[in-house]
Amino acid sequence: MRRDIIEETFRLLARHFHLFTLIALTVWLPGHLIINYIDFFATSKGAADAGARGFRMGLMVEGAFGPLVVAATLSALARITRGEPASYAQAMRHGLAMWPRLFIARLVASAVVLAGLIALVVPGVLALVRLSFVDALVVLDGAPLGAALRASNALTAGRRLAIFWTGGFLFVAVFSVAMTLSALAGAANHFVVQVLVDCVIAVTQTVFTIAIFLFYREARHAAATAVPNAPAD
C-alpha cells in the first residue's frame, strides 16, 4: 500500500472538491433522482421489484455515463498536476470528446476482467490491476485501444501489488462511508435524504480515479526518464 498516494489522493479531492463534485453530479444527480424515484414511488409490482429495477438503472447509468465522469475527472487532474487552471467547462468538454472512445475501451477491458473472474477470481483481479491504466492512456495520451491495453500491462509492472493494496484500502474506506451513510438514510426513509446520500457516495468514489491517475503519472514519468537519450549524429 502506498501511503503517499493515499495522502495525495485525499489532498487533491479536498482541495478541488467543488470541481470533482460538479463533474460527478453532472451524471449522478439526475441518475440518483431517477433511481430513487423508482425505488420510492414505482412500487406497483412491489418494493422488491422496484429495488431490482433501480439496481438495473444504476448499472445502466454507470455503464453508459461512468466513462464521461472518469474522462472529465482525468482531464481535470492532468491540468491540476501541470499547474494549469482547471475548470468544469474545460473538463467536461474534454470528457465529452473522449467519452465514446473510453466507453469502448472500458467495455473491452471489463470483458477481459469478467472473463478472468468467471474462470477464477485471481485472474480477474490480476487483469483488473494490469488494465488499470487503460482509462488514462485513452483519455490523456489518446492511445488506440490495443496500444492502451499493451501499455497498461507494461506500465503497471512493478507497481501491481501497490495498486492492489492501495485500491483495496480505498475500497474499504469508501465502502465503510457508504454503509454508514446508507444506514442513516435508511433510518430517515426519505426520498430527498436518500438522493443526497447517494450523491455524496458518488463523489467519494472519485478517489479511485485520482489514485490510479497518480500511479499512472508516476509510471509515465519513470518510463520517460528510463529511456536513454538518443546518441547524437
Side-chain angles (χ1 to χ4, degrees):
M1 185 175 70
R2 287 283 299 277
R3 182 174 178 179
D4 58 328
I5 294 286
I6 292 171
E7 290 175 351
E8 181 66 7
T9 294
F10 285 107
R11 188 190 71 80
L12 284 168
L13 179 63
R15 188 169 182 179
H16 303 277
F17 188 73
H18 64 290
L19 176 59
F20 296 131
T21 297
L22 286 173
I23 292 172
L25 295 191
T26 298
V27 165
W28 285 110
L29 177 56
H32 283 307
L33 282 170
I34 295 170
I35 292 165
N36 283 291
Y37 178 83
I38 294 172
D39 285 346
F40 275 83
F41 305 116
T43 58
S44 58
K45 296 183 180 180
D49 181 72
R53 282 181 287 162
F55 178 74
R56 289 196 297 269
M57 179 61 69
L59 291 178
M60 289 173 59
V61 172
E62 172 59 34
F65 298 101
L68 172 59
V69 174
V70 170
T73 302
L74 287 170
S75 175
L77 285 166
R79 295 185 67 88
I80 289 167
T81 53
R82 289 197 302 263
E84 301 172 4
S87 70
Y88 169 77
Q90 289 170 330
M92 290 307 299
R93 278 198 301 270
H94 191 239
L96 284 166
M98 299 306 300
W99 181 13
R101 292 184 60 193
L102 186 56
F103 174 81
I104 295 171
R106 286 193 133 204
L107 194 64
V108 173
S110 296
V112 173
V113 172
L114 182 60
L117 290 173
I118 291 172
L120 284 172
V121 173
V122 172
V125 173
L126 288 174
L128 180 64
V129 174
R130 286 172 179 265
L131 301 180
S132 57
F133 292 168
V134 168
D135 291 353
L137 287 159
V138 170
V139 174
L140 302 179
D141 290 1
L145 176 57
L149 294 172
R150 292 190 296 272
S152 180
N153 183 58
L155 288 171
T156 55
R159 293 177 171 80
R160 290 169 191 154
L161 277 178
I163 292 171
F164 173 79
W165 288 115
T166 302
F169 173 85
L170 292 174
F171 175 81
V172 170
V174 170
F175 182 77
S176 299
V177 171
M179 291 299 293
T180 301
L181 293 177
S182 295
L184 294 173
N189 194 31
H190 192 281
F191 173 74
V192 174
V193 173
Q194 187 65 60
V195 170
L196 291 174
V197 164
D198 287 344
C199 286
V200 171
I201 293 170
V203 174
T204 64
Q205 291 171 356
T206 304
V207 297
F208 297 112
T209 304
I210 298 174
I212 292 299
F213 168 80
L214 293 173
F215 273 112
Y216 159 79
R217 182 167 170 261
E218 178 184 84
R220 264 299 191 202
H221 178 72
T225 54
V227 176
N229 295 324
D233 294 333

